[in-house]
Amino acid sequence: MISNGDIVLRLLTAAALGSFIGFERERLLWSAGIRTHMLVCVGACLFMIVSAYGFQHATEMEHVTLDPSRIAAQVVSGVGFLGAGAILLRGNIVRGLTTAASIWAVAALGLAAGGGLYFAAGAATVIILVILAGMKPLEDAYRTRL
């Protein structure tokens, strides 16, 4: 079993990483902002902690086998519903795909933090921020040329 301090560290790491992504979305006034991204990231982190450590006592029972990856897999599916809620269809224009993708990516950050993969979660956060903030000016420049 992991310590209470490690649990708090993992949850706070998830909250911080989710807030970075959420702030980037918030500054552009998108529907899912800081709080949404933080909640998804912390929730996914907690699911991972529960999945990996919450049933350790059951593994000591005879004829019991557990697969901790099952809960993580369900997080991926469940977050898809949140993402679908962020996607709007207005006439022939679809909006919110990037926000939905960022919610999905933040869930993955939470799973990584919950699994104690701090470097992977931190590196992915930087990459996601580069994609969201750094690619937007390039995308806009390309579109104005068309």
Side-chain angles (χ1 to χ4, degrees), residues 8 36 43 62-63 82 101 128:
V8 171
T36 302
E62 195 174 329
H63 305 295
L82 287 176
I128 292 166

Side-chain angles (χ1 to χ4, degrees), residues 26-109:
E26 187 85 34
R27 74 179 181 85
L28 298 174
L29 302 175
W30 294 110
S31 58
I34 294 172
R35 293 184 309 156
T36 302
H37 283 78
M38 287 177 77
L39 286 170
V40 168
C41 201
V42 170
C45 179
L46 184 57
F47 277 124
M48 179 59 99
I49 291 168
V50 169
S51 177
Y53 305 105
F55 304 102
Q56 280 189 331
H57 68 281
T59 60
E60 298 166 3
M61 295 178 185
E62 195 174 329
H63 305 295
V64 172
T65 56
L66 297 175
D67 180 8
S69 67
R70 293 178 77 188
I71 291 179
Q74 296 309 311
V75 169
V76 175
S77 299
V79 168
F81 286 104
L82 287 176
I87 299 171
L88 302 172
L89 177 63
R90 293 185 184 169
N92 291 333
I93 299 172
V94 176
R95 307 286 267 167
L97 289 174
T98 303
T99 299
S102 71
I103 291 171
W104 184 73
V106 164
L109 293 178

Side-chain angles (χ1 to χ4, degrees), residues 13-14 16-18 20-22 24 37 41 101-102 104-113 117-133:
T13 298
L17 297 178
F20 297 144
I21 307 300
E24 195 285 327
H37 283 78
C41 201
S102 71
W104 184 73
V106 164
L109 293 178
L111 291 172
L117 302 172
Y118 299 117
F119 180 79
T125 299
V126 170
I127 292 167
I128 292 166
L129 286 172
V130 167
I131 292 167
L132 289 174

